[in-house]
Amino acid sequence: LFLLSLDWGTENYVRKHFQAKFPGSIKSATVGFMSPSDDNKIKTPTYEQVCSGQSGHVEVLMVELNNPEKHFEELIRFFFQFHDPTTKNRQGNDMGFQYASFIFCGDKEQYKIAQKVRNELQTLLDEGALRSYDNKKITTLMGPLKEFTAAHDEHQRYLEKHPNGYCNHRMRFKVWPELMADDKNAAAAEAAPEVAEAN
């Protein structure tokens, strides 16, 4: 299990587009909320409390893969292809911590892989190999899984129920640019082996 931020828009891209690319890869996907902090006064927030920005939670999609060894890294790369990780606490017109780019990892190996991919992406931006985002600094946060609160049924598969519903995501690039070997090694070396709390 692991979680990607930005709930029903992410759900649509994962269920529809990632599954099309990797059939049978997704075992389950559930929209909801998670906070990186253990100190929140609101433990099981409502959608309205999260949207207010006062609960300290991020809108997320909890994903379970059938074969995480094969598809986890692929899904992390795909996540960066359809949202903007350079706009801190914002996606399109949606602003606030609840819209932060965030990856909640299930174990140390997932954390290491996700950080490696994030480092590679930052290198691509630094080298000018990608110009798909608003800015040039990756702001994506990472941390361990915490208590998950599922959103109510109306928000599950929301864009399947409402095909013309609001979604601020789009495919920003279709092919992940290739890094030089030295850059790949550097990105992997910089990936921390320990799961760390998000600051």
Side-chain angles (χ1 to χ4, degrees):
L1 288 174
F2 64 100
L3 290 96
L4 304 172
S5 58
L6 314 172
D7 73 357
W8 71 52
T10 295
E11 179 188 35
N12 185 57
Y13 273 87
V14 169
R15 284 188 181 277
K16 183 176 181 180
H17 301 290
F18 188 78
Q19 279 264 75
K21 187 175 183 181
F22 299 101
S25 56
I26 305 299
K27 184 174 183 179
S28 66
T30 307
V31 167
F33 321 110
M34 182 170 286
S35 171
S37 173
D38 292 321
D39 301 326
N40 281 2
K41 293 181 180 179
I42 303 174
K43 298 299 182 183
T44 55
T46 64
Y47 175 69
E48 290 73 22
Q49 287 172 323
V50 174
C51 283
S52 74
Q54 302 302 310
S55 75
H57 289 75
V58 181
E59 297 185 4
V60 296
L61 177 70
M62 182 168 67
V63 180
E64 186 175 6
L65 295 169
N66 282 311
N67 188 344
E69 291 79 13
K70 183 177 182 180
H71 293 124
F72 177 75
E73 183 171 337
E74 294 286 357
L75 185 51
I76 296 301
R77 292 181 184 278
F78 185 72
F79 178 55
F80 285 121
Q81 288 176 252
F82 68 77
H83 86 288
D84 190 339
T86 71
T87 51
K88 185 176 181 180
N89 297 340
R90 178 173 69 84
Q91 289 297 310
N93 295 324
D94 294 330
M95 293 183 286
F97 180 68
Q98 65 270 35
Y99 304 113
S101 175
F102 213 120
I103 302 171
F104 292 93
C105 302
D107 55 38
K108 294 178 181 179
E109 184 60 25
Q110 285 187 354
Y111 185 91
K112 187 175 181 180
I113 292 169
Q115 191 172 46
K116 180 194 74 169
V117 174
R118 184 179 65 180
N119 291 345
E120 286 184 13
L121 185 61
Q122 185 60 62
T123 299
L124 290 169
L125 292 177
D126 292 342
E127 294 179 346
L130 272 180
R131 305 177 188 275
S132 306
Y133 305 132
D134 283 0
N135 303 303
K136 295 185 178 181
K137 178 68 176 176
I138 301 299
T139 66
T140 302
L141 299 171
M142 294 168 49
L145 290 180
K146 298 289 186 178
E147 184 175 352
F148 173 73
T149 300
H152 55 71
D153 289 344
E154 173 61 21
H155 283 180
Q156 306 299 335
R157 298 178 180 263
Y158 182 83
L159 291 175
E160 290 182 23
K161 301 170 185 173
H162 307 279
N164 296 319
Y166 174 68
C167 179
N168 52 32
H169 300 319
R170 60 182 172 83
M171 288 304 295
R172 295 171 181 275
F173 58 98
K174 293 184 178 180
V175 178
W176 194 275
E178 189 69 25
L179 277 178
M180 299 293 288
D182 288 346
D183 290 330
K184 281 186 178 179
N185 293 336
E190 291 171 6
E194 299 288 335
V195 172
E197 296 283 350
N199 294 321

